[in-house]
Amino acid sequence: MPHMFIPGPVDVDPEVLQAQTQPMLPHRSREFEALYRQTVEKTRPIFGTNGRIYITASSGTGLQEAAVRNFTQTRILSCINGAFGKRWHTVATTNGKLAEALEFEWAVPVNPSVVAEAVRRGRYEAVTIVHNETSTGVQNPVQEIAAAVHEASPQTLVCVDAVSSLGGVEIEMDAWGIDFLLTSSQKCLALPPGLGLAAVSDRALEYATQVPHRGWYFDLLRLEKHRLKDSTPATPAVSLIYALDRQMDRILKEGLEKRFTRHRLLGIKVREWALGQGFGLYAPEGFQSNTVTTVINRHKLDVGALNAYLQNRGMRIANGYGPLKNETFRIAHMGETQADDIETLLTAINEFISKH
Ligand code: PLP
């Protein structure tokens, strides 16, 4: 099996791919409702919530849009320390929302005290934060940020993008006081792209009732009305839901503790290798992602040539994101990636280095 060490889409287990080939179901049927209900229930532990979860036929960006359309009448605060925080801000402004950008250097984690200070001054309805910045490999301290926001401005909703961490890293939505938590199917959940998943707190849903022009497709109140009937407003991606149902069985069978530990050990392994080879790490100590590592390319390797070398061996890594291209490269270690897979990859990179 080729190994995609890129931060999504990642490899999907053949059993999960196969699950998609089951016959279609009419979505307005008891069979589909039972499938939808059981699948949603299985995802609950990865969100760390007892509350509502929606599964949408969209990628994660659709759910970034859901947050800004449902929770903003006047203005929100967008925390930005990478490309996906920036995207969420752009999603807000292109929806006509007044979104203020709270920008940090890309290699610097979002600072809870700075966010608290901003929400104290600003009376924001919501704050958007990316948990794991896939563009940089910086993991933001979401638990601390949520606590700081609650203390500074209790009514402000805390919205978190966990696209490249949910299912690979512990996140406790209810315990941490997160109001909106979104992810995509193609990262740590190791599914094909095409599903968005989001959990929404009671008070966030209540807030949405006051917000006009929520649109149709991502109107949370419409999604809720249908969720209460174990269904969706529009035609769901039935095949992908079969795949999610099967993959959640596999994830729960592995056990969340074990899964999170596996990701943590993979992160340590890649970081130790990078430092051992004389590369640098882009993310600062204590904020390094356990799902994707951004390696500072101190040896000025030709990343294109490295990737061609790896692709000849059935593997693939990612170049640095946007302005970090060639200056860095990224190794993802998420989803179903095992220690042996990383070992094989790092051995091949070592071979490339020794030949160049
Ligand atoms: N947020 C983060 C942190 C991401 O890594 C990505 C995609 O890589 C997105 C949002 C966008 O997700 P999608 O491509 O599923 O719309």
Side-chain angles (χ1 to χ4, degrees):
M1 181 159 97
H3 288 296
M4 301 268 276
F5 299 95
I6 65 168
V10 301
D11 292 313
V12 181
D13 190 90
E15 182 193 341
V16 176
L17 287 175
Q18 185 66 30
Q20 296 178 97
T21 64
Q22 295 171 79
M24 278 309 112
L25 284 172
H27 59 293
R28 308 281 177 231
S29 68
R30 293 223 178 285
E31 295 97 308
F32 177 77
E33 287 160 12
L35 170 70
Y36 193 73
R37 181 169 53 244
Q38 86 183 26
T39 307
V40 165
E41 283 308 315
K42 288 175 191 175
T43 65
R44 204 173 285 294
I46 55 173
F47 283 91
T49 186
N50 290 317
R52 64 188 61 71
I53 296 166
Y54 306 111
I55 304 174
T56 55
S58 73
S59 77
T61 309
L63 293 171
Q64 287 190 338
E65 188 149 296
V68 302
R69 291 203 71 110
N70 282 272
F71 304 141
T72 319
Q73 294 182 75
T74 54
R75 61 190 192 142
I76 60 169
L77 183 71
S78 312
C79 300
I80 302 174
N81 66 335
F84 294 102
K86 177 112 195 129
R87 174 169 315 170
W88 211 347
H89 178 251
T90 308
V91 166
T93 55
T94 52
N95 272 285
K97 304 294 183 179
L98 185 58
E100 281 178 27
L102 183 65
E103 299 214 43
F104 298 81
E105 297 290 327
W106 277 29
V108 173
V110 171
N111 182 316
S113 316
V114 176
V115 180
E117 184 51 35
V119 295
R120 215 171 273 124
R121 273 188 284 107
R123 301 203 145 271
Y124 298 102
E125 295 161 274
V127 175
T128 64
I129 312 140
V130 172
H131 180 222
N132 190 77
E133 249 305 345
T134 321
S135 55
T136 60
V138 173
Q139 185 178 291
N140 287 313
V142 156
Q143 183 179 4
E144 290 79 1
I145 297 167
V149 170
H150 291 315
E151 202 194 327
S153 171
Q155 74 285 1
T156 301
L157 301 174
V158 175
C159 303
V160 174
D161 168 327
V163 164
S164 58
S165 51
L166 197 111
V169 173
E170 184 188 15
I171 304 178
E172 292 292 338
M173 168 156 177
D174 293 351
W176 298 359
I178 297 171
D179 292 290
F180 183 84
L181 181 59
L182 78 99
T183 197
S184 308
S185 50
Q186 75 276 14
K187 311 251 187 203
C188 296
L189 297 178
L191 288 159
L195 289 183
L197 294 91
V200 182
S201 72
D202 288 343
R203 68 175 197 149
L205 194 70
E206 175 60 33
Y207 192 77
T209 62
Q210 303 168 35
V211 179
H213 308 305
R214 297 182 302 271
W216 198 98
Y217 197 69
F218 292 114
D219 174 5
L220 293 179
L221 297 175
R222 188 181 306 277
L223 281 159
E224 176 69 1
K225 192 172 130 208
H226 286 267
R227 184 191 71 86
L228 293 171
K229 299 182 282 186
D230 297 313
S231 190
T232 56
T235 314
V238 177
S239 310
L240 286 168
I241 292 174
Y242 278 133
L244 173 60
D245 185 53
R246 184 69 54 87
Q247 174 65 352
M248 284 312 308
D249 286 341
R250 298 176 78 257
I251 290 175
L252 297 174
K253 186 166 170 220
E254 178 180 13
L256 288 190
E257 278 305 312
K258 273 179 95 175
R259 192 172 179 87
F260 298 154
T261 302
R262 175 165 58 79
H263 281 81
R264 192 166 53 75
L265 295 177
L266 293 178
I268 291 170
K269 195 176 181 69
V270 172
R271 293 195 291 274
E272 283 181 355
W273 165 82
L275 294 175
Q277 284 290 346
F279 292 110
L281 297 172
Y282 190 77
E285 179 89 42
F287 300 93
Q288 291 157 339
S289 166
N290 283 326
T291 62
V292 58
T293 297
T294 299
V295 178
I296 301 174
N297 187 9
R298 291 227 170 101
H299 303 315
K300 305 224 175 304
L301 295 182
D302 178 338
V303 179
L306 169 61
N307 233 343
Y309 184 87
L310 294 173
Q311 281 172 42
N312 278 333
R313 287 151 185 80
M315 294 176 279
R316 189 188 289 262
I317 61 167
N319 207 326
Y321 194 99
L324 302 178
K325 192 170 176 187
N326 297 323
E327 299 300 313
T328 67
F329 56 87
R330 290 173 299 159
I331 299 177
H333 27 86
M334 61 173 76
E336 297 310 300
T337 303
Q338 306 295 325
D340 285 356
D341 303 324
I342 287 290
E343 198 61 54
T344 309
L345 174 76
L346 299 180
T347 303
I349 301 179
N350 288 345
E351 276 166 19
F352 177 86
I353 295 171
S354 66
K355 288 180 186 162
H356 290 80

